[in-house]
Amino acid sequence: MARFLIRRLLGAVLTLFAVSVLSFLMFFALPKDPVSGMCPKNCNAERLERVRAELGLRDPLVVQYTNYMKGIFVGRDLGSAQGGRCDAPCLGYSYVNSEAVTDTLARVLPVTLSIVIPAAVLWLALGVGLGMISALRRGSVLDRLAIGFSLTGASLQLYFVGAVLLLVFCYKLRLVPIPSYTSIFDNPAKWASGLVLAWCALAFLFSAIYARLSRAQMLETLSEDFIRTARAKGLAKSTVYGRHALRAAITPVVTIAGLDVGGALGGTVITETTFGIQGLGRTAVDAVRSGDLPTIMATVLISAFFIVVANIVVDVLYAVIDPRVRLR
C-alpha cells in the first residue's frame, strides 16, 4: 500500500509541475502585453516600465519561474508597491484587485468549498441510493419513477433549475433568503440557508447521473456468478447486496465522483453566476475578462491541485474497494 501511494504521489507532483510550467508560460504566450492588461487605462510608458520592474519581467524566464515557485513554498518580497513581503504560499500580486492573489483566494475559496462539498454529499447519497433501490426493484413503479427522475435531471441545465428554485422558493414562497455566503464559523444557520438552493440544484442534476450509473452497474453485478453463489450459500440479502454487489458495482461511481468533485472544486462558474455568489469560478472568469494574469495563473494551479488530489483519493478508494489494485 505504501508503494502504491508513493507512485501516485510522485505522479501527482509531476502533473502539478507540468501545469505550473504551462500556466506560467501562458503568461507570456498571449499576444496582448500582460502588463498593459493589469495596469489601469491611464498608465503611461513610465508606469508600465515600473510595473514590469516590480513584477520582475526583465529577468530571464527561468529566474522568473524559480522566483514564482519559491514564493509558493517559502514566500518572497514583492516590493513596496505590491504590499511588501508576501508569505507562503505567495501567488503574486493582482494590480486589478490591488491585493495579493493569496488574499483573493482566501476570500473566495471557502465559498466554493461550501457549495461543492455539501452538494457532493447530497448527490452521492441520493444518486447511489436511488440507483441501488431501482436496481433491486427492477420493473416496479419505483424503478420507473427513478428512471423518469434521472432522465429529467439529465435533460435540464443548471441555470434553468437554479432560476426555477430562485423564483419559487425565494421570490414566491419566500421560504429561504436570497443566496449569499456567510462563514460557517460566524453563523452556521445563515451559512446553510444562504447556500441551500445551490446545494439542491447541484444535487438534483448530478444525482440523476449517478442514479442511472448506479442502477446500470448494480444490475450488471447482480447477474454475475459470484452473486448467484452468494445467494446459493444462503447469505442474507443485506450481505449479498451491501457487502458483495455494492462493493463490485461502486468502482465506476467512485471514478466519476472523483472527477466531478475535483472539477467542481476547481470552480463552479455556472452555479456561482446563477445564484450571484462570488467563488473561485466567478473569480477566474472575472480575471480572464480583466486580463488579471496572476489571478488566472493561481486559479489554474488551484483547479489542477483539486483535480490531482481527487484522483489520488479515487486511487486510494480503489485500493480499499479492490485489493488487487495495490499490485498494479
Side-chain angles (χ1 to χ4, degrees), residues 27 34-41 43 47-57 78-83 92-101 104 290-295:
F27 191 97
V35 176
S36 63
M38 293 182 290
C39 198
K41 294 182 178 179
C43 275
R47 174 59 174 163
L48 290 175
E49 287 301 318
R50 179 183 173 188
V51 172
R52 289 190 181 95
E54 291 170 350
L55 293 177
L57 297 181
L78 297 177
S80 58
Q82 303 179 64
Y93 183 86
S94 169
Y95 277 89
V96 175
N97 299 324
S98 299
E99 64 178 356
V101 176
T104 303
S290 60
D292 187 2
L293 293 179
T295 303

Side-chain angles (χ1 to χ4, degrees), residues 9-321:
L9 289 173
L10 289 176
V13 170
L14 291 176
T15 301
L16 290 175
F17 172 74
V19 171
S20 68
V21 172
L22 292 175
S23 62
F24 185 82
L25 293 178
M26 178 186 67
F27 191 97
F28 303 93
L30 297 178
K32 183 180 178 180
D33 183 3
V35 176
S36 63
M38 293 182 290
C39 198
K41 294 182 178 179
N42 59 352
C43 275
N44 52 28
E46 181 180 354
R47 174 59 174 163
L48 290 175
E49 287 301 318
R50 179 183 173 188
V51 172
R52 289 190 181 95
E54 291 170 350
L55 293 177
L57 297 181
R58 297 303 184 194
D59 298 329
L61 289 180
V62 175
V63 175
Q64 294 183 48
Y65 178 76
T66 302
N67 291 334
Y68 184 78
M69 296 304 295
K70 178 182 176 182
I72 295 178
F73 293 101
V74 299
R76 60 192 175 110
D77 186 9
L78 297 177
S80 58
Q82 303 179 64
R85 176 70 183 178
C86 178
D87 296 327
C90 180
L91 296 168
Y93 183 86
S94 169
Y95 277 89
V96 175
N97 299 324
S98 299
E99 64 178 356
V101 176
T102 308
D103 295 336
T104 303
L105 294 180
R107 185 173 60 254
V108 301
L109 190 55
V111 180
T112 299
L113 293 174
S114 296
I115 294 174
V116 174
I117 294 178
V121 173
L122 288 175
W123 83 54
L124 285 172
L126 180 60
V128 174
L130 189 60
M132 284 186 59
I133 295 173
S134 177
L136 297 177
R137 299 289 186 271
R138 185 179 183 181
S140 65
V141 175
L142 181 59
D143 183 28
R144 293 187 176 89
L145 290 175
I147 293 175
F149 169 81
S150 62
L151 289 175
T152 301
S155 302
L156 297 177
Q157 297 295 324
L158 181 58
Y159 52 80
F160 174 77
V161 175
V164 171
L165 291 177
L166 285 171
L167 177 63
V168 174
F169 293 100
C170 285
Y171 301 112
K172 294 293 184 182
L173 300 179
R174 299 183 183 276
L175 295 178
V176 294
I178 301 297
S180 61
Y181 173 75
T182 301
S183 174
I184 188 174
F185 302 105
D186 295 337
N187 191 327
K190 191 174 181 180
W191 170 79
S193 63
L195 299 175
V196 64
L197 290 184
W199 298 343
C200 292
L202 286 171
F204 172 66
L205 297 178
F206 278 93
S207 63
I209 300 172
Y210 285 88
R212 296 180 65 186
L213 179 61
S214 300
R215 179 182 183 275
Q217 292 298 320
M218 197 68 177
L219 288 175
E220 181 179 349
T221 303
L222 290 175
S223 64
E224 296 288 343
D225 292 338
F226 73 92
I227 296 296
R228 287 193 289 268
T229 301
R231 286 171 173 168
K233 288 181 177 180
L235 296 179
K237 287 186 177 180
S238 59
T239 302
V240 174
Y241 296 145
R243 182 177 178 181
H244 297 288
L246 179 60
R247 188 172 184 178
I250 202 70
T251 304
V253 177
V254 170
T255 303
I256 302 300
L259 295 175
D260 285 341
V261 174
L265 288 173
T268 52
V269 179
I270 299 178
T271 305
E272 295 169 8
T273 303
T274 301
F275 293 100
I277 303 172
Q278 187 71 30
L280 187 64
R282 285 187 67 186
T283 299
V285 172
D286 293 343
V288 171
R289 290 174 177 171
S290 60
D292 187 2
L293 293 179
T295 303
I296 296 174
M297 292 168 59
T299 53
V300 169
L301 286 175
I302 291 295
S303 300
F305 173 78
F306 281 132
I307 294 174
V308 167
V309 170
N311 277 276
I312 292 176
V313 172
V314 168
D315 289 338
V316 173
L317 290 176
Y318 276 172
V320 173
I321 296 171

